[in-house]
Amino acid sequence: MSSTNFLHLPHQQLRRRKIFGGIKPAPHKAASLRSRIMPMPLPPQLILPINQYHGTNSSPLVKVGDAVLKYQALTEKLDHTGAALHAPTSGRITAICSAPIAGHPGNAALCIHLQCDGDDNSLELQPCLNHDQLTGFEVLRKIDAAGIVGMGGAGFPTAHKLRLAIEHGTELLIINAAECEPYISTDEALLRERAREVVIGAELLRTACHAPRCIIAIEEDKPAAIAALRSALAHSPIELMLLHSTYPTGGEKQIVQAVTGLEVPVGQYPLNLGILVHNAGTAYAVYQAVAEGKPSISRIITLTGRALQTPKNFEALIGTPAAFLLKLCGVQEQHHLTTVMGGSLMGLQLAHTEVPVTKTTNCLIAATVEDFPQPEPELACIRCGFCAEVCPARLLPQQLYSFARTHNHTQLQSYGLDDCIECGACAYVCPSNIPLVQYYVAAKQDLRTLSVAREQSEHWQTRFQFHQYRTKQEKDSARERRIPTALFPVELLPTDSSPITSVQFSRQLAQQEIADAVARANAKRISRLATDTQMPQHPAKDKE
Ligand code: SF4
Ligand code: SF4
């Protein structure tokens, strides 16, 4: 349980805190917010990564050739860190094989390929009308069954996070609606149109984690979403908090600081302070799972960038290829420079657009050269310190840069590279145009590789030591079997009262043999002495 005392602070004292550091880039959100959230037509094929989250283990429940219905479970999780996957529409499984996936290790993952039949036949859903009367355990079970993962980008399974929150004891649930990265407008669009559902989802999450207090935090520059939230919260105990619009306020540790003024210590999580953070999109998925009985098969995604004729937000099925969505928005290939998955500061540049939308994909930017101008040449660091002023994690980016260049892994770790959230604020202000985040990402990859190599080396060393120990044991026991039993110390020999064993028998026999041999030798010596005294002396000896 945490020792924080913000639970009883009046709302005014919690209000409008600013995070440490941060920047204010141009938002670039207006274009995609011009229209409402659009449904999308069915694509011909969906590519569904079996593991939607790094490090999870799931196994397929279907095989190639199977016909599946919408909402049918396609995988089962093998441990708590997994999340189930469901069919977003009806069709036939055509392959289960590796396919390119953005952001996964090796940029590929095992995927289920679903050929859509166009009928969208579904299993019957079981909505829950009295969801406000469910217990925390019942809500948690429904969230788990729906395969929901954090929609903010990290993709941590929601049910697992709730279980950890219950273990730690949660005092405050923060619904993170601070969507500060340029170009991304999914949460704003969601809250403008479906604020009531997000509020119900937040109440269900609060029930599941037993948090006494819940705050929805949103930046002050989203008036339409704020108005919708105020209306939806009219009869709810959940509070609304407006935050300064600074990037990256939406980071998990940063929003905790913005809402409570508390800084999450290095190497710890908000849960260590009794605070649970969930994204607004996750709250909406929880509403769908619990109230409507719908598994997680779709998400809101922003399609934007100057290469699109009609940028907008789509409710996209998980597994939809990026190319299909870009085409729906009228991508102008002659201006299309590159495609980025995510926002302009933390997004990933796609090698090609056949990669599918996953549960964590919030934005696709079809960029022109105006969106992403060619980077200026990288110059030497002039130690201006601007990067340190804006780092929300209070790191020293210029030092990290210097250690990353020299591969000084010890110093990288002691200067807190692990705490870098790769927000890109430092690179954004750097007058020397140093792509700092690229250096940090490469350094983190090096450290991961070294850590894996170290773990493997320790594993093989342990195995070798065990092998040596076992060999020695075998040799010792073999030697013990070969040692003549007569050499055993007398005290180790069995007593007369102990039961006779083959070992005991052989030892007694050996003792007897030794005694007999000694007696024979003594008898021989006495007999020779007697003979010597009766024989005449040798002549040669007489002369002497
Ligand atoms: S902002 Fe760039 S030039 Fe300035 S200290 Fe940081 S890395 Fe060096
Ligand atoms: S990318 Fe890392 S070092 Fe740079 S500002 Fe963000 S947290 Fe700090």
Side-chain angles (χ1 to χ4, degrees):
M1 194 73 176
S2 76
S3 56
T4 49
N5 60 1
F6 51 84
L7 178 62
H8 304 295
L9 280 181
H11 192 81
Q12 292 75 8
Q13 286 186 33
L14 285 172
R15 239 179 139 177
R16 292 164 72 87
R17 288 172 196 270
K18 190 182 171 304
I19 60 166
F20 181 81
I23 54 175
K24 266 188 161 297
H28 297 292
K29 297 176 193 263
S32 58
L33 285 168
R34 264 186 224 121
S35 70
R36 294 178 64 81
I37 298 170
M38 300 292 288
M40 55 164 261
L42 284 176
Q45 192 191 42
L46 297 172
I47 305 160
L48 299 148
I50 287 175
N51 291 331
Q52 294 271 329
Y53 165 73
H54 301 272
T56 60
N57 277 318
S58 297
S59 69
L61 290 171
V62 289
K63 57 186 185 314
V64 175
D66 283 359
V68 296
L69 293 172
K70 186 176 182 177
Y71 305 131
Q72 182 179 330
L74 299 179
T75 66
E76 65 173 343
K77 58 179 193 157
L78 300 178
D79 57 37
H80 280 322
T81 62
L85 179 67
H86 298 79
T89 185
S90 58
R92 194 166 292 278
I93 308 298
T94 53
I96 300 177
C97 59
S98 182
I101 301 293
H104 270 248
N107 288 325
L110 188 64
C111 294
I112 295 175
H113 296 246
L114 172 61
Q115 191 74 39
C116 308
D117 60 14
D119 297 333
D120 210 24
N121 292 325
S122 67
L123 294 176
E124 197 176 331
L125 293 179
Q126 294 182 329
C128 179
L129 298 177
N130 61 343
H131 51 77
D132 52 343
Q133 286 161 29
L134 294 176
T135 64
F137 179 71
E138 287 167 332
V139 173
L140 187 54
R141 218 175 43 189
K142 285 177 185 283
I143 291 172
D144 204 1
I148 299 171
V149 302
M151 298 285 189
F156 200 80
T158 304
H160 187 41
K161 199 168 175 181
L162 284 167
R163 278 191 208 99
L164 293 175
I166 294 165
E167 275 170 28
H168 280 81
T170 305
E171 293 185 16
L172 174 65
L173 169 65
I174 298 175
I175 300 297
N176 183 354
E179 193 176 44
C180 45
E181 191 169 1
Y183 291 90
I184 310 173
S185 63
T186 54
D187 289 348
E188 191 171 356
L190 176 71
L191 289 165
R192 266 187 345 186
E193 297 178 35
R194 304 176 195 177
R196 188 186 73 84
E197 289 85 344
V198 173
V199 169
I200 294 173
E203 282 166 356
L204 290 165
L205 281 168
R206 190 162 79 107
T207 305
C209 69
H210 316 300
R213 189 169 186 180
C214 175
I215 295 173
I216 298 180
I218 187 169
E219 292 155 303
E220 59 196 355
D221 62 351
K222 299 180 171 60
I226 292 167
L229 272 173
R230 285 216 162 101
S231 160
L233 288 169
H235 305 292
S236 170
I238 294 177
E239 300 158 63
L240 180 66
M241 182 177 294
L242 304 189
L243 305 175
H244 289 280
S245 179
T246 307
Y247 174 83
T249 301
E252 194 175 56
K253 287 188 175 183
Q254 284 66 43
I255 200 150
V256 168
Q257 193 204 339
V259 171
T260 66
L262 296 171
E263 287 191 39
V264 181
V266 172
Q268 292 194 18
Y269 298 96
L271 288 181
N272 297 105
L273 301 179
I275 301 169
L276 175 64
V277 181
H278 274 299
N279 178 260
T282 311
Y284 179 67
V286 167
Y287 162 80
Q288 288 185 305
V290 180
E292 298 179 348
K294 274 189 197 168
S296 177
I297 59 159
S298 64
R299 64 155 301 137
I300 316 284
I301 174 170
T302 303
L303 270 290
T304 188
R306 289 185 174 87
L308 297 183
Q309 286 174 334
T310 54
K312 54 174 73 79
N313 279 283
F314 273 111
E315 179 142 23
L317 295 181
I318 307 301
T320 306
F324 182 82
L325 289 166
L326 294 173
K327 210 177 271 182
L328 290 178
C329 296
V331 61
Q332 304 171 83
E333 291 301 344
Q334 70 276 24
H335 305 303
H336 190 186
L337 175 72
T338 184
T339 308
V340 170
M341 190 175 263
S344 59
L345 289 163
M346 294 180 80
L348 294 166
Q349 197 166 346
L350 297 183
H352 58 83
T353 54
E354 287 311 312
V355 295
V357 167
T358 67
K359 291 180 183 178
T360 58
T361 311
N362 52 11
C363 184
L364 284 170
I365 307 172
T368 63
V369 74
E370 287 85 40
D371 288 308
F372 295 147
Q374 287 299 315
E376 298 287 325
E378 182 181 333
L379 305 173
C381 171
I382 54 171
R383 316 292 288 180
C384 63
F386 292 168
C387 50
E389 283 170 24
V390 299
C391 177
R394 294 186 192 265
L395 301 175
L396 294 172
Q398 72 276 42
Q399 292 298 116
L400 291 174
Y401 162 66
S402 150
F403 297 138
R405 275 173 59 105
T406 53
H407 302 283
N408 189 337
H409 298 131
T410 313
Q411 289 289 56
L412 278 168
Q413 281 179 314
S414 63
Y415 274 73
L417 180 67
D418 287 343
D419 275 330
C420 167
I421 57 170
E422 298 168 25
C423 66
C426 50
Y428 184 83
V429 297
C430 177
S432 294
N433 311 311
I434 303 171
L436 294 163
V437 183
Q438 287 178 22
Y439 284 96
Y440 307 150
V441 170
K444 281 184 183 179
Q445 184 57 47
D446 280 356
L447 285 172
R448 268 195 295 272
T449 310
L450 282 174
S451 155
V452 170
R454 200 176 304 124
E455 269 171 30
Q456 282 178 345
S457 150
E458 280 168 10
H459 170 75
W460 288 113
Q461 196 173 14
T462 309
R463 285 197 61 162
F464 176 66
Q465 284 170 348
F466 181 70
H467 169 75
Q468 282 187 313
Y469 169 76
R470 208 179 48 196
T471 311
K472 186 174 178 303
Q473 290 282 90
E474 283 169 4
K475 275 187 188 160
D476 286 352
S477 64
R479 195 183 317 123
E480 194 174 301
R481 282 196 299 275
R482 282 200 308 274
I483 288 173
T485 50
L487 298 180
F488 277 41
V490 172
E491 62 271 18
L492 292 181
L493 291 173
T495 61
D496 290 344
S497 58
S498 61
I500 294 176
T501 62
S502 60
V503 173
Q504 183 184 350
F505 175 76
S506 64
R507 282 177 188 168
Q508 285 174 340
L509 196 65
Q511 276 191 315
Q512 188 58 51
E513 279 177 4
I514 290 167
D516 290 349
V518 169
R520 277 198 304 277
N522 283 342
K524 225 184 237 181
R525 192 163 55 87
I526 290 165
S527 132
R528 197 168 53 234
L529 277 173
T531 313
D532 286 351
T533 50
Q534 290 164 16
M535 280 179 70
Q537 293 292 311
H538 197 281
K541 286 219 171 171
D542 289 344
K543 276 187 192 173
E544 286 174 7

